[in-house]
Amino acid sequence: MKRDYKFSSVFIINLIMIVIIAIISAILSQASADLEAMTISLSGIVSNILRTAVYVIFNFIIARGLISNRMGTVGEYFDNINHFNFKSFFLAFLISIIPTLAIIIFATGIVASIVLSLATGNDPSGLGAGIGVFLLLILALIIYGVFISYQFFVIADNPNLTFGEMFKKVFKVGKDLFGKTIITFLKWIIVPVFLFIVILSAIFNGLDGTIAIGLILIILLAALVYVLIALTLVVGELSDHYLDYKSKTIDNNENEKEVYESKGMNNI
């Protein structure tokens, strides 16, 4: 069931989040090329940690707002930070950072294997296999991303659950709503990205010179605006899925309780 929510409030919060993440990335990417590799790696690690932390905090604010006060102002949405605690932050941070860690570990392993092969004069015959494994990892991370799509709704809506219970519930909800989530992503992300690529390819192949460059810049600007709109539409639709799921779960539990009590009375 589609529910109304304050689109402008969610849009503005998403915009603020993206701006802060962009600023963090810009500041920490200023490391000069002559710095030691360890320093550059440390800068990248710090950047990932800070970006993930900002992502977690802002998405919790949005998720709890979409559960408790959908038509609230930006200020009322931000008031939800008062319900944020270390358990919620750590769980959301852990779930969100896993894809980054997986990519870093696998990419580092593949690069190290290639460098070692070249250094020892061996033919890097495992390169193709390494790339295949990496592509499988990307596919696995996409599926993982679908499973954790409701993590902030679950965390914001179940503050009394233990860490383990909350962790399991995130994946249970993701599994139960997997099909609906895929449809949402197809509608607002995958299909538009495909169309975007088709349009860019047509411009590259059909036009030359400044006209092509101008059109590409306009399309890129429009794509940037669309990303913000799509983020807001996706999180709004996911919140509808979660609230419908929660409502059905409550109804089923109540029906089971009534049946159980009815059987108990009949046995007396």
Side-chain angles (χ1 to χ4, degrees):
M1 180 176 67
K2 184 174 177 58
R3 295 172 171 85
D4 291 333
Y5 64 98
K6 195 73 171 289
F7 180 91
S8 59
S9 295
V10 179
F11 180 88
I12 291 171
I13 295 171
N14 272 323
L15 176 60
I16 295 171
M17 177 184 69
I18 289 175
V19 169
I20 293 175
I21 289 175
I23 291 172
I24 291 172
S25 300
I27 292 174
L28 293 178
S29 66
Q30 293 301 313
S32 56
D34 59 344
L35 289 178
E36 295 181 0
M38 184 180 296
T39 305
I40 296 174
S41 295
L42 180 61
S43 175
I45 292 171
V46 172
S47 179
N48 277 325
I49 291 173
L50 291 178
R51 290 198 304 260
T52 303
V54 171
Y55 171 82
V56 165
I57 293 169
F58 275 78
N59 276 278
F60 177 88
I61 289 170
I62 292 172
R64 197 175 190 285
L66 287 170
I67 291 173
S68 62
N69 187 13
R70 295 173 69 86
M71 298 304 295
T73 63
V74 172
E76 288 170 335
Y77 267 76
F78 271 110
D79 284 342
N80 290 298
I81 194 66
N82 296 321
H83 300 274
F84 204 35
N85 55 40
F86 179 75
K87 179 179 69 176
S88 299
F89 174 80
F90 182 68
L91 176 58
F93 185 90
L94 177 64
I95 292 174
S96 300
I97 202 72
I98 286 174
T100 301
L101 293 177
I103 290 174
I104 291 173
I105 292 170
F106 274 83
T108 302
I110 291 172
V111 171
S113 176
I114 294 172
V115 171
L116 181 62
S117 297
L118 293 175
T120 56
N122 297 326
D123 180 26
S125 56
L127 177 60
I131 293 175
V133 171
F134 191 71
L135 292 176
L136 287 176
L137 171 66
I138 297 299
L139 177 61
L141 291 177
I142 291 173
I143 296 173
Y144 175 82
V146 177
F147 271 104
I148 66 170
S149 296
Y150 302 90
Q151 61 166 314
F152 296 106
F153 298 111
V154 172
I155 292 170
D157 198 32
N158 300 275
N160 297 323
L161 294 181
T162 65
F163 186 91
E165 290 171 340
M166 203 180 289
F167 185 85
K168 288 189 291 185
K169 191 174 180 66
V170 166
F171 288 93
K172 183 181 186 311
V173 174
K175 175 181 71 69
D176 292 343
L177 293 175
F178 192 88
K180 289 185 177 181
T181 309
I182 290 292
I183 293 173
T184 296
F185 287 163
L186 276 171
K187 182 169 59 176
W188 297 117
I189 299 175
I190 298 174
V191 171
V193 167
F194 176 76
L195 292 175
F196 174 75
I197 293 172
V198 170
I199 292 171
L200 283 183
S201 299
I203 292 174
F204 273 121
N205 296 327
L207 297 173
D208 295 318
T210 55
I211 295 177
I213 294 174
L215 284 175
I216 290 171
L217 290 175
I218 292 172
I219 292 173
L220 289 176
L221 180 60
L224 180 61
V225 175
Y226 177 77
V227 166
L228 284 168
I229 295 174
L231 282 175
T232 306
L233 293 171
V234 166
V235 74
E237 196 161 303
L238 292 179
S239 71
D240 290 344
H241 298 334
Y242 175 76
L243 291 173
D244 288 343
Y245 174 84
K246 177 183 175 182
S247 177
K248 289 178 182 177
T249 302
I250 292 173
D251 290 342
N252 288 338
N253 290 337
E254 289 179 349
N255 290 336
E256 289 176 2
K257 183 179 178 181
E258 289 176 1
V259 170
Y260 177 79
E261 291 176 348
S262 176
K263 287 183 178 178
M265 291 296 293
N266 291 333
N267 292 330
I268 295 175

